[in-house]
């Protein structure tokens, strides 16, 4: 297994997009191209099958295949972090064991969602999956409906396999954790620059870096308030609908992926697309993709 100290050196981790063929099946050649663009830009790692990668829309066979494929193709060039979390502890254990068996460097683990449990149950869930191998804990209350508060995280941080937290609850909490020696990566792209250079986070696990990885490399490597300000409107647009709707649309507009969505996600409407095209033109020479394509909502294929 990769040393946790080595994993903690990663400041830019991309929650990589999963592209599809027109029939809705995973498009591995395009996926490989997307990862290669991340490597070229100096990204330190990828989250495979996360929310942005639509692991929630995959069956476990697809999900674990994509982790194994990523390891086989790219391990050693950047960190391979498999999203093997689940609201079902038994499934999370099985998926995490499989992911480590195929060689992933670390897991991303989320607290049980929808069928929420007590704080004691949350801790017990995480203790089981942390026993398997190195893991990032993902706190995103807007999706799970339950905040992983410091009393929970500080207990989990005692595990030898605890890497740190992908934290979406803001920079004040990140600054608190970092002051206690608990590693944090911002889960909010719009706050990531301040998180890195003011709150002293370890970095970001980013959606926007799918589209402009070289820009996010710059934002993590040095303080650049002007560049950060230039990115704010684009980042706001990328979250104008629940992620990954806008990033999927954006990567199709940039020519990086085929314009295919898996339901229940559908592309942005025409007005939103026009707004995004204008914002993306400001970064046209830095986008992942061949060139900007004028697409309408009707040009997208939507599959179950």
């Amino acid at each position: 297994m990769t040393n946790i100290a080595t994993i903690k050196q990663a400041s830019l981790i991309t929650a990589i997009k999963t592209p599809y063929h027109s029939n809705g099946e995973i498009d591995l050649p395009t996926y490989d191209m997307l990862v290669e663009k991340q490597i070229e830009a100096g990204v330190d790692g990828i989250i495979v099958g996360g929310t942005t990668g639509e692991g929630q829309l995959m069956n476990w066979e697809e999900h674990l295949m994509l982790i194994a494929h990523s390891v086989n193709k790219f391990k050693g060039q950047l960190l391979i972090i498999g999203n093997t979390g689940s609201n079902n502890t038994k499934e999370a254990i099985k998926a995490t064991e499989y992911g480590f068996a195929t060689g992933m460097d670390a897991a991303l683990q989320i607290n049980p969602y929808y069928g929420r449990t007590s704080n004691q149950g949350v801790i017990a869930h995480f203790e089981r999956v942390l026993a398997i191998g190195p893991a990032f804990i993902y706190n995103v209350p807007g999706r799970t409906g339950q905040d992983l508060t410091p009393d929970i995280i500080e207990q989990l941080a005692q595990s030898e396999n605890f890497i740190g937290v992908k934290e979406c609850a803001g920079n004040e909490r990140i600054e608190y954790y970092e002051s206690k020696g608990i590693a944090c990566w911002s889960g909010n792209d719009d706050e990531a620059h301040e998180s890195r250079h003011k709150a002293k986070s370890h970095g970001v696990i980013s959606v926007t870096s799918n589209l402009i990885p070289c820009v996010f490399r710059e934002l993590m490597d040095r303080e650049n308030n002007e560049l950060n300000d230039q990115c704010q409107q684009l980042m706001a647009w990328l979250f104008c609908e629940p992620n990954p709707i806008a990033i999927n649309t954006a990567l199709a507009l940039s020519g990086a992926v085929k314009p295919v969505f898996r339901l229940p996600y559908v592309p942005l409407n025409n007005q939103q697309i026009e707004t995004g095209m204008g914002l993306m033109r400001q970064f046209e020479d830095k986008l992942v993709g061949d060139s900007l394509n004028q697409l309408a909502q009707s040009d997208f294929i939507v599959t179950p």
Side-chain angles (χ1 to χ4, degrees):
M1 287 186 185
T2 305
N3 185 281
I4 287 180
T6 300
I7 296 171
K8 285 184 176 181
Q9 293 174 15
S11 59
L12 177 55
I13 299 169
T14 298
I16 195 75
K17 149 78 176 163
T18 303
Y20 304 111
H21 292 292
S22 57
N23 63 0
E25 296 300 312
I26 294 173
D27 181 352
L28 286 178
T30 299
Y31 175 84
D32 291 348
M33 180 277 294
L34 293 177
V35 177
E36 286 162 1
K37 292 295 184 184
Q38 297 297 309
I39 294 168
E40 289 173 14
V43 171
D44 301 305
I46 54 172
I47 303 289
V48 182
T51 305
T52 307
E54 299 179 28
Q56 64 275 15
L57 303 189
M58 299 178 193
N59 59 44
W60 278 114
E61 182 181 42
E62 290 177 310
H63 198 147
L64 296 170
M65 174 280 294
L66 194 59
I67 293 172
H69 172 82
S70 301
V71 169
N72 183 60
K73 192 87 175 180
F74 299 110
K75 185 167 182 177
Q77 299 180 70
L78 77 180
L79 294 171
I80 308 298
I81 303 155
N83 169 32
T84 54
S86 173
N87 61 351
N88 177 328
T89 305
K90 190 171 186 177
E91 284 193 354
I93 291 170
K94 184 177 180 180
T96 302
E97 289 175 340
Y98 184 94
F100 280 117
T102 58
M104 70 181 185
D105 296 293
L108 180 71
Q109 300 288 354
I110 196 165
N111 50 305
Y113 44 87
Y114 186 71
R116 289 170 51 189
T117 184
S118 63
N119 284 359
Q120 186 177 359
V122 167
I123 291 168
H125 170 88
F126 281 128
E127 286 177 341
R128 291 297 184 96
V129 292
L130 279 166
I132 302 168
F136 294 81
I137 303 300
Y138 183 16
N139 184 36
V140 55
R143 289 186 181 271
T144 64
Q146 187 173 22
D147 188 15
L148 298 178
T149 50
D151 57 314
I152 295 173
I153 294 299
E154 287 169 354
Q155 184 168 337
L156 295 174
Q158 298 172 30
S159 168
E160 65 179 5
N161 284 326
F162 176 92
I163 299 167
V165 187
K166 178 185 178 182
E167 181 59 76
C168 296
N171 287 345
E172 184 176 342
R173 185 176 288 181
I174 287 174
E175 187 171 19
Y176 168 80
Y177 282 143
E178 289 286 356
S179 73
K180 298 290 185 182
I182 295 173
C184 278
W185 286 258
S186 176
N188 299 329
D189 284 353
D190 60 333
E191 298 178 343
H193 178 261
E194 182 176 345
S195 169
R196 175 72 166 158
H197 301 291
K198 297 289 194 291
K200 305 304 179 184
S201 73
H202 278 55
V204 64
I205 296 177
S206 175
V207 175
T208 308
S209 57
N210 277 281
L211 188 65
I212 48 171
C214 61
V215 175
F216 254 77
R217 181 71 276 166
E218 170 74 14
L219 290 174
M220 290 300 101
D221 286 349
R222 57 191 59 86
E223 190 168 6
N224 188 332
N225 293 317
E226 182 179 355
L227 180 60
N228 184 53
D229 289 344
Q230 290 171 3
C231 294
Q232 289 300 312
Q233 284 186 300
L234 177 62
M235 289 189 288
W237 175 76
L238 286 171
F239 293 90
C240 67
E241 299 288 359
N243 183 54
I245 294 169
I247 192 64
N248 287 357
T249 306
L251 288 168
L253 295 174
S254 74
V257 305
K258 298 178 181 69
V260 181
F261 273 69
R262 276 187 179 182
L263 285 169
Y265 299 124
V266 296
L268 297 179
N269 64 42
N270 290 336
Q271 183 176 353
Q272 291 169 320
I273 288 172
E274 283 300 320
T275 299
M277 287 286 288
L279 294 169
M280 290 168 65
R281 286 191 186 99
Q282 299 173 33
F283 297 90
E284 194 159 1
D285 61 335
K286 297 178 173 64
L287 298 174
V288 170
D290 297 328
S291 62
L292 281 173
N293 302 308
Q294 186 65 54
L295 299 174
Q297 188 181 46
S298 59
D299 292 320
F300 286 79
I301 297 168
V302 179
T303 70

